[in-house]
Amino acid sequence: MEYKNLDTLKAFAELSNSKKASIKELLSKERVEKCNIAAGGSLTYNYAAMPVTDEAISLMQALADEDELVEKYKAILSGQVMNPGEKRLVLHQLTRGNCLGTPVLADGEDKGEFYSSQLARIKDFSEKVRNGVIKGSTGKPFDTVCQIGIGGSDLGPRALYLALAEYINNSPVKHLNAKFISNVDPDDAASVIRTINPETTLFVLVSKSGTTLETLTNQLLVTSSLKGVDPAKHLVAVTSKTSPLASSKDVLDAFFIDDYIGGRYSSTSAVGGVILSIALGYETFEEILKGAHEADMNALETDITKNAALMDALIGMYLRNVYSYPSTAILPYSQALSRFPAHLQQLDMESNGKHVNRFGEKLNYVTGPVIFGEPGTNGQHSFYQLLHQGTDIVPLQFIGFKENQAGRDIVIEGSTSQVKLNANLAAQIVAFALGKNDDNPNKEFDGERPSSLIYANRLTPLALGALLAHFENKVMFQGFLWNLNSFDQEGVQLGKVLAKKVLNGCQGDEILKAFADLLI
Amino acid sequence: MEYKNLDTLKAFAELSNSKKASIKELLSKERVEKCNIAAGGSLTYNYAAMPVTDEAISLMQALADEDELVEKYKAILSGQVMNPGEKRLVLHQLTRGNCLGTPVLADGEDKGEFYSSQLARIKDFSEKVRNGVIKGSTGKPFDTVCQIGIGGSDLGPRALYLALAEYINNSPVKHLNAKFISNVDPDDAASVIRTINPETTLFVLVSKSGTTLETLTNQLLVTSSLKGVDPAKHLVAVTSKTSPLASSKDVLDAFFIDDYIGGRYSSTSAVGGVILSIALGYETFEEILKGAHEADMNALETDITKNAALMDALIGMYLRNVYSYPSTAILPYSQALSRFPAHLQQLDMESNGKHVNRFGEKLNYVTGPVIFGEPGTNGQHSFYQLLHQGTDIVPLQFIGFKENQAGRDIVIEGSTSQVKLNANLAAQIVAFALGKNDDNPNKEFDGERPSSLIYANRLTPLALGALLAHFENKVMFQGFLWNLNSFDQEGVQLGKVLAKKVLNGCQGDEILKAFADLLI
């Protein structure tokens, strides 16, 4: 298997030189019905409103074959060192509880068994918390769980929790409130501490290294404010076996991850597993894993018209490198997914916002786009003006569900709110694609704005897991296309070094001191 | 006064042809100290890390003069029809409670007096709610206020409320909880309804026309769920005098706005005033108005080195139209500003995401950028990888404060969390600007990433008001530069029309029906 830059691939050259399609000319009732790919976990990916002809699809298939994209995915699954900069394996797919290839042996253990053993511990612990066997230090059962973590230890688990809170409220499953503290800004912890009862709150401290500055600072800020309880009975850790937290007497228990699970890919590991299992039930978390596993299975398809993540990745690359569109909007028509765009922003921009290839050589083409988004219909009353009539074109990823979660709705003027929501979603896809002529240029819509739609019957834990893994796998395939190492993040290091320098008095750096003096 | 396209201005041609500067070469201790502009309301704008030489600044000054930017602002203040498409005045600056020019007469009244009279009514009403003179229908005082509105009736007021919640908690001023329901997705209302006590909750229904689909649907969803209370005693309206809500018997009271206050500019009108005065006290809202007024005053300076909003606007245009950067990130180092980027996203993208000029003629240059952002340090652990090492350059707007709001902090390793937060902020500015050489290209940072910094001692109501108005005025000046009508939003209409069509059975539109069939 070879790792090649995108601009050296024959099929990419052919794709770049092929005729660009008009969405207006392509789009038809039949195309909408045809361009569906089952994505696993009850999800379907639809690319009817994308400017891709049958010829472009066959060139993308040739590109996927020439670049051996599915083979590279299999190399990840089989435990090869796919994070070359840090010389690490990449094993987040193995945390779903199902091995997709041969067993992966590393560090003297079967990694699949290691993750499964942590899952079994999470199941046991979360059930004991939920049924009151494990209580706080004053003898009261826990009713709240609060994660202390930042970046991948925060965004993914938070997005998943918010996505299912109303679903669980509308089910027989018990719901323990979940809270999150992330920012080193002390006002973040203060605003959460104000709303919790220390006697009934269990904190989950998440730091792989056990040394993350923000997280340890917030731990101390929290524990120093816990009046009348024994902090060690109110704190568990999610960390690596070798971290100082792993055997600390300050924690009730510790659950383990390892170096092969990047922060932004850790939602299905103990990083997401502990808090989600405690808050929403282990069975709920297990359904998320099942959905993610189904999406992982789908990503093994070599036929791109049957592989949703791979098709999504190829079309995204096409819009980025051939059309030169610099950003992508994520637009879930579901308030429950309010923080899902923020998670995808990290997942995508931290993975593929790189300027060198996996061998450390500078690239001559653009890589990851800017990712942003808010739920619809809210966004329609906000930034959609630019999306419809701005001077730049922004590709769109819509997400929608036939049914709501909370089961509370009302019929007004002959339709429910859920139907109104989805009427808006269908309308937007068509408005962006086809536009509208008007004698008044201010009321004219050029159309030709590409969009895709991921949809399911309902945002269940299964669908959510598949949605999460779909985007993880899309980002992975795009990383292969751009020949990146999508699993390191060297770009965050310089800021850390300079922040330490400020805290050490700037060490003679006059410019740094001048800026610090404005703020400190 | 003439309205000209940017590409017809002599000074713009000169600016475009002038030599581009290197931030690395420009930046010095002295420059950091020199490039400060007092912005009103205790705020300072610093542009030291922007690629602008003295020559570029003098060309920008010439451009501001040639295009009569401050004169155009004065035309807004004096009540000229500055929203030509809708033939409306633009009067949000007049809602701060201070007239900046001669009185504005329209619709047979003095508009300044009209807004002031609403302010007086808000003061009276909010004080009666806060001191228990006005109670719910079961005789209990209100402890929660919930806004039902979407777009500008939601994002701005929500961002301002979150920005000051901890500030008020750490003050002697009483804090009533505020909640917000916006999305037509019925799960949005359901998740809020679950957390409130109907007996002690006052709802504020915000719709200028009194006909906004999402808002009226949510009103009925809410009132149908209010068991045991009289909805008419728990609901006030913010609307126009001519709307059906103005004299409805279903509301306890109504507060008025008019057609001259665009949704995204309405935070300082009754749209923000009612909920903020009830939740945080009228005096708090008055301080926001005072800060906004000070920023409005600052925007009258004709010397661009003394006018923060104008300088910010000119540099932003320079990076957009000369450097061709397609997006801008808003990065507040304050968790309290967690939703402020979402408000600015609407403000900027809905105002200036246009492809025709104010006369309805198509433009040959790019206009408003994509706006996105999240609070630091959280963003550092997320999308900053792309900002530092991605293939595209994204201009950055940092926001920071010397002191925290909640007054709860902890010293670890010799520094407080607040100092750590600001050490990170100073470090990021320098890292983006200067970068770092390294033999390993994966650890190399090119630098030359432009950023500005808006800072103050503390995020007070005064500073927040100035921050809000600074960006409103920046967007206004950029609209003048691009020769746009920044005050309409025709781009949102087509989606509304097509959504209605879906609700009416698609009326023979086969493509629309095909998409609707996936979702309904």
Side-chain angles (χ1 to χ4, degrees), chain B residues 39-43 92-93 96 159-160 163-164 267-268 276 284-297 337 340 343-344 347 401 454 456 458-473:
Chain B
S42 79
L43 288 185
H92 54 274
Q93 280 104 348
R96 330 292 198 200
L160 298 184
L164 294 177
S267 294
T268 53
L276 294 172
T284 305
F285 182 61
E286 213 172 24
E287 280 289 296
I288 294 174
L289 297 183
K290 190 178 163 205
H293 177 67
E294 289 188 21
D296 291 344
M297 292 281 288
L337 292 177
F340 199 69
H343 166 64
L344 294 189
L347 176 68
F401 305 94
I454 299 178
R458 188 161 179 242
L459 181 55
T460 60
L462 185 83
L464 182 65
L467 193 66
L468 178 82
H470 170 85
F471 283 102
E472 288 179 359
N473 294 330

Coordinates of all heavy atoms in Angstrom, one line a residue, chain B residues 39-43 92-93 96 159-160 163-164 267-268 276 284-297 337 340 343-344 347 401 454 456 458-473:
Chain B
A39 N -12.6 52.4 22.7 CA -13.8 52.1 21.9 C -15.0 52.5 22.7 O -16.1 52.3 22.2 CB -13.8 50.6 21.6
G40 N -14.9 53.2 23.8 CA -16.1 53.5 24.6 C -16.4 52.4 25.6 O -16.0 51.2 25.4
G41 N -17.1 52.7 26.7 CA -17.6 51.7 27.6 C -16.5 50.9 28.2 O -16.7 49.7 28.5
S42 N -15.3 51.5 28.4 CA -14.1 50.9 29.0 C -13.4 49.9 28.1 O -12.4 49.3 28.5 CB -14.5 50.2 30.4 OG -15.0 48.9 30.2
L43 N -13.8 49.7 26.9 CA -13.2 48.8 26.0 C -12.0 49.5 25.2 O -12.1 50.7 24.9 CB -14.1 48.4 24.9 CG -15.3 47.4 25.2 CD1 -16.0 47.1 23.9 CD2 -14.7 46.1 25.8
H92 N -31.6 51.7 15.3 CA -31.2 51.0 16.6 C -30.4 51.8 17.5 O -30.4 51.7 18.7 CB -30.6 49.6 16.2 CG -29.5 49.7 15.3 ND1 -29.6 49.7 14.0 CD2 -28.1 49.8 15.6 CE1 -28.4 49.7 13.4 NE2 -27.5 49.8 14.3
Q93 N -29.5 52.7 16.9 CA -28.7 53.5 17.8 C -29.5 54.4 18.7 O -29.1 54.8 19.8 CB -27.7 54.4 17.0 CG -26.4 53.6 16.6 CD -26.5 53.3 15.1 OE1 -27.5 53.4 14.4 NE2 -25.4 52.8 14.6
R96 N -30.7 53.4 22.4 CA -29.8 53.4 23.6 C -30.3 54.4 24.6 O -29.7 54.6 25.7 CB -28.4 53.7 23.3 CG -27.9 53.3 21.9 CD -27.7 51.8 21.7 NE -26.8 51.6 20.6 CZ -26.8 50.5 19.8 NH1 -27.6 49.5 20.1 NH2 -25.9 50.4 18.9
A159 N -27.4 35.9 24.2 CA -25.9 36.1 24.4 C -25.7 37.1 25.5 O -24.8 36.9 26.3 CB -25.3 36.6 23.1
L160 N -26.5 38.2 25.6 CA -26.3 39.2 26.6 C -26.6 38.6 28.0 O -25.9 38.9 29.0 CB -27.1 40.4 26.3 CG -26.8 41.2 25.0 CD1 -27.6 42.5 24.9 CD2 -25.3 41.5 24.9
A163 N -23.9 36.4 29.2 CA -22.7 37.2 29.5 C -22.7 37.8 30.8 O -21.7 38.1 31.4 CB -22.6 38.3 28.4
L164 N -23.9 38.0 31.4 CA -24.0 38.8 32.7 C -24.5 37.9 33.9 O -24.6 38.4 35.0 CB -24.8 40.0 32.5 CG -24.2 41.1 31.6 CD1 -25.1 42.3 31.4 CD2 -22.8 41.5 32.1
S267 N -31.3 44.1 20.2 CA -31.0 43.8 21.6 C -31.1 45.0 22.6 O -31.5 44.8 23.8 CB -29.5 43.3 21.8 OG -29.4 42.0 21.1
T268 N -30.9 46.2 22.1 CA -31.0 47.3 23.0 C -32.4 47.9 23.0 O -32.7 48.9 23.6 CB -30.0 48.4 22.7 OG1 -30.0 48.7 21.3 CG2 -28.6 47.9 23.0
L276 N -34.1 41.2 29.8 CA -32.8 41.6 30.6 C -33.2 42.4 31.8 O -32.6 42.2 32.9 CB -31.8 42.3 29.7 CG -31.3 41.5 28.5 CD1 -30.4 42.3 27.6 CD2 -30.4 40.3 29.0
T284 N -29.1 47.3 35.3 CA -28.2 46.5 34.5 C -28.4 46.8 33.0 O -27.4 47.1 32.3 CB -28.3 45.0 34.8 OG1 -28.2 44.8 36.2 CG2 -27.2 44.2 34.1
F285 N -29.6 46.8 32.6 CA -29.9 47.0 31.2 C -29.5 48.5 30.8 O -29.0 48.7 29.8 CB -31.4 46.8 30.9 CG -31.8 47.0 29.5 CD1 -31.2 46.2 28.5 CD2 -32.7 48.0 29.1 CE1 -31.6 46.4 27.1 CE2 -33.1 48.2 27.8 CZ -32.5 47.4 26.8
E286 N -29.8 49.4 31.8 CA -29.4 50.8 31.5 C -27.9 50.9 31.3 O -27.4 51.8 30.5 CB -29.9 51.6 32.7 CG -30.3 53.0 32.4 CD -30.9 53.7 33.6 OE1 -30.6 53.4 34.7 OE2 -31.7 54.7 33.3
E287 N -27.1 50.2 32.1 CA -25.7 50.2 31.9 C -25.3 49.7 30.5 O -24.3 50.2 29.9 CB -25.0 49.4 33.0 CG -24.8 50.1 34.3 CD -23.8 51.3 34.2 OE1 -22.6 51.0 34.0 OE2 -24.2 52.4 34.4
I288 N -25.9 48.6 30.1 CA -25.7 48.1 28.7 C -25.9 49.2 27.7 O -25.1 49.5 26.8 CB -26.6 46.9 28.4 CG1 -26.2 45.7 29.3 CG2 -26.5 46.5 26.9 CD1 -27.2 44.5 29.2
L289 N -27.1 49.9 27.9 CA -27.4 51.0 26.9 C -26.3 52.1 27.0 O -25.9 52.7 25.9 CB -28.8 51.6 27.3 CG -30.0 50.7 27.2 CD1 -31.2 51.5 27.5 CD2 -30.1 50.1 25.8
K290 N -25.8 52.4 28.2 CA -24.8 53.5 28.3 C -23.6 53.1 27.6 O -22.9 53.9 26.9 CB -24.6 53.7 29.8 CG -23.7 54.9 30.1 CD -23.5 55.1 31.6 CE -22.4 56.0 31.9 NZ -21.8 55.8 33.2
G291 N -23.2 51.8 27.8 CA -21.9 51.3 27.1 C -22.1 51.4 25.6 O -21.2 51.8 24.8
A292 N -23.3 51.0 25.1 CA -23.6 51.0 23.6 C -23.5 52.4 23.1 O -23.0 52.7 22.1 CB -24.9 50.3 23.4
H293 N -24.1 53.3 23.9 CA -24.1 54.8 23.5 C -22.7 55.3 23.4 O -22.3 56.0 22.5 CB -24.9 55.6 24.5 CG -24.9 57.0 24.2 ND1 -25.5 57.6 23.1 CD2 -24.4 58.1 24.9 CE1 -25.3 58.9 23.1 NE2 -24.6 59.2 24.2
E294 N -21.8 54.9 24.4 CA -20.4 55.4 24.3 C -19.7 54.8 23.0 O -19.0 55.6 22.4 CB -19.7 54.9 25.6 CG -20.1 55.7 26.8 CD -19.2 55.4 28.0 OE1 -18.1 54.9 27.8 OE2 -19.7 55.6 29.1
A295 N -20.0 53.6 22.7 CA -19.4 53.1 21.4 C -20.0 53.8 20.2 O -19.2 54.1 19.3 CB -19.7 51.6 21.3
D296 N -21.3 54.1 20.3 CA -21.9 54.9 19.2 C -21.2 56.2 19.0 O -21.0 56.7 17.9 CB -23.4 55.1 19.4 CG -24.2 53.8 19.3 OD1 -23.7 52.8 18.7 OD2 -25.3 53.8 19.8
M297 N -20.9 56.9 20.1 CA -20.2 58.2 20.1 C -18.8 58.0 19.5 O -18.4 58.8 18.7 CB -20.1 58.7 21.6 CG -21.3 59.1 22.3 SD -21.9 60.7 21.7 CE -20.7 61.7 22.5
L337 N -19.1 34.7 27.5 CA -19.4 35.1 26.1 C -19.6 33.9 25.2 O -19.5 34.0 23.9 CB -18.4 36.0 25.5 CG -18.3 37.4 26.2 CD1 -17.1 38.2 25.6 CD2 -19.6 38.2 26.0
F340 N -21.9 34.7 22.3 CA -21.7 35.9 21.7 C -21.2 35.7 20.2 O -21.7 36.4 19.3 CB -20.7 36.8 22.4 CG -20.7 38.2 22.1 CD1 -21.8 39.0 22.4 CD2 -19.6 38.8 21.4 CE1 -21.8 40.4 22.1 CE2 -19.6 40.2 21.0 CZ -20.7 40.9 21.4
H343 N -24.3 35.2 18.1 CA -25.0 36.5 17.8 C -24.2 37.3 16.7 O -24.9 37.8 15.8 CB -25.1 37.4 19.1 CG -25.4 38.8 18.8 ND1 -26.6 39.2 18.3 CD2 -24.7 39.9 19.0 CE1 -26.7 40.5 18.1 NE2 -25.5 41.0 18.5
L344 N -22.9 37.3 16.8 CA -22.2 38.1 15.8 C -22.3 37.4 14.4 O -22.2 38.0 13.4 CB -20.7 38.2 16.2 CG -20.4 39.1 17.4 CD1 -18.9 39.3 17.6 CD2 -21.1 40.4 17.3
L347 N -25.5 38.7 13.1 CA -25.3 40.2 12.9 C -24.6 40.4 11.6 O -25.0 41.2 10.7 CB -24.6 40.8 14.1 CG -24.3 42.3 13.9 CD1 -25.6 43.1 14.0 CD2 -23.3 42.8 15.0
F401 N -10.5 39.9 29.1 CA -10.8 40.8 30.3 C -9.8 40.4 31.4 O -9.5 39.3 31.6 CB -12.2 40.5 30.8 CG -13.3 40.8 29.7 CD1 -13.7 39.7 29.0 CD2 -13.7 42.0 29.4 CE1 -14.7 39.9 28.0 CE2 -14.6 42.3 28.4 CZ -15.1 41.2 27.7
I454 N -9.9 42.9 21.5 CA -10.7 43.9 22.2 C -10.7 43.5 23.6 O -10.9 42.4 24.0 CB -12.2 43.9 21.7 CG1 -12.2 44.2 20.2 CG2 -13.0 44.8 22.5 CD1 -13.6 44.2 19.6
A456 N -10.9 44.8 28.1 CA -11.4 45.7 29.1 C -10.9 45.1 30.5 O -10.5 43.9 30.5 CB -12.9 45.9 29.1
R458 N -13.0 44.3 33.0 CA -13.9 43.3 33.4 C -15.1 43.3 32.5 O -15.5 44.4 31.9 CB -14.3 43.6 34.8 CG -15.2 42.5 35.5 CD -15.1 42.6 37.0 NE -15.9 41.6 37.6 CZ -17.0 41.8 38.4 NH1 -17.4 43.0 38.7 NH2 -17.7 40.8 38.9
L459 N -15.8 42.2 32.3 CA -17.0 42.1 31.5 C -18.2 42.6 32.3 O -18.9 41.8 32.8 CB -17.2 40.7 30.9 CG -18.4 40.6 30.0 CD1 -18.4 41.5 28.8 CD2 -18.5 39.1 29.5
T460 N -18.3 44.0 32.4 CA -19.4 44.6 33.1 C -20.5 44.8 32.1 O -20.4 44.7 30.9 CB -18.9 46.0 33.6 OG1 -18.5 46.8 32.5 CG2 -17.8 45.8 34.6
P461 N -21.7 45.2 32.6 CA -22.8 45.6 31.7 C -22.4 46.7 30.7 O -22.7 46.7 29.6 CB -23.9 46.0 32.6 CG -23.7 45.2 33.9 CD -22.2 45.1 34.0
L462 N -21.6 47.7 31.3 CA -21.1 48.8 30.4 C -20.2 48.3 29.3 O -20.4 48.6 28.1 CB -20.4 49.8 31.3 CG -19.9 51.0 30.6 CD1 -21.0 52.1 30.6 CD2 -18.7 51.6 31.3
A463 N -19.3 47.4 29.7 CA -18.4 46.9 28.6 C -19.1 46.0 27.6 O -18.8 46.1 26.4 CB -17.3 46.1 29.3
L464 N -20.1 45.3 28.1 CA -20.9 44.4 27.2 C -21.7 45.2 26.2 O -21.7 44.9 25.0 CB -21.8 43.5 28.0 CG -22.6 42.5 27.2 CD1 -21.8 41.5 26.5 CD2 -23.7 41.8 28.1
G465 N -22.3 46.3 26.7 CA -23.0 47.2 25.8 C -22.1 47.8 24.7 O -22.5 47.8 23.5
A466 N -20.9 48.2 25.1 CA -20.0 48.8 24.1 C -19.5 47.7 23.1 O -19.4 48.0 21.9 CB -18.8 49.4 24.9
L467 N -19.3 46.5 23.6 CA -18.9 45.4 22.8 C -19.9 45.1 21.7 O -19.6 44.9 20.5 CB -18.7 44.1 23.6 CG -17.9 43.0 23.0 CD1 -16.5 43.3 22.7 CD2 -18.0 41.7 24.0
L468 N -21.2 45.0 22.1 CA -22.3 44.8 21.2 C -22.3 45.9 20.1 O -22.4 45.6 18.9 CB -23.6 44.8 22.0 CG -24.9 44.7 21.2 CD1 -25.2 43.2 21.0 CD2 -26.1 45.3 22.0
A469 N -22.3 47.2 20.6 CA -22.4 48.3 19.6 C -21.2 48.4 18.7 O -21.3 48.8 17.6 CB -22.7 49.6 20.4
H470 N -20.0 48.0 19.3 CA -18.8 48.1 18.5 C -19.0 47.2 17.2 O -18.7 47.6 16.1 CB -17.6 47.5 19.3 CG -16.4 47.3 18.4 ND1 -15.5 48.3 18.1 CD2 -15.9 46.2 17.8 CE1 -14.5 47.8 17.3 NE2 -14.8 46.6 17.1
F471 N -19.5 46.0 17.4 CA -19.7 45.1 16.3 C -20.8 45.5 15.4 O -20.7 45.4 14.2 CB -19.8 43.6 16.7 CG -18.5 43.0 17.1 CD1 -18.2 42.9 18.5 CD2 -17.6 42.6 16.2 CE1 -16.9 42.3 18.8 CE2 -16.4 42.0 16.5 CZ -16.0 41.9 17.8
E472 N -21.9 46.1 16.0 CA -23.0 46.6 15.1 C -22.4 47.7 14.2 O -22.7 47.8 13.0 CB -24.1 47.2 16.0 CG -24.9 46.2 16.7 CD -26.0 46.8 17.6 OE1 -26.1 48.1 17.7 OE2 -26.7 46.1 18.2
N473 N -21.6 48.6 14.8 CA -21.0 49.7 14.0 C -20.0 49.2 13.0 O -19.9 49.8 11.9 CB -20.5 50.8 15.0 CG -21.6 51.4 15.8 OD1 -22.8 51.5 15.3 ND2 -21.4 51.8 17.0

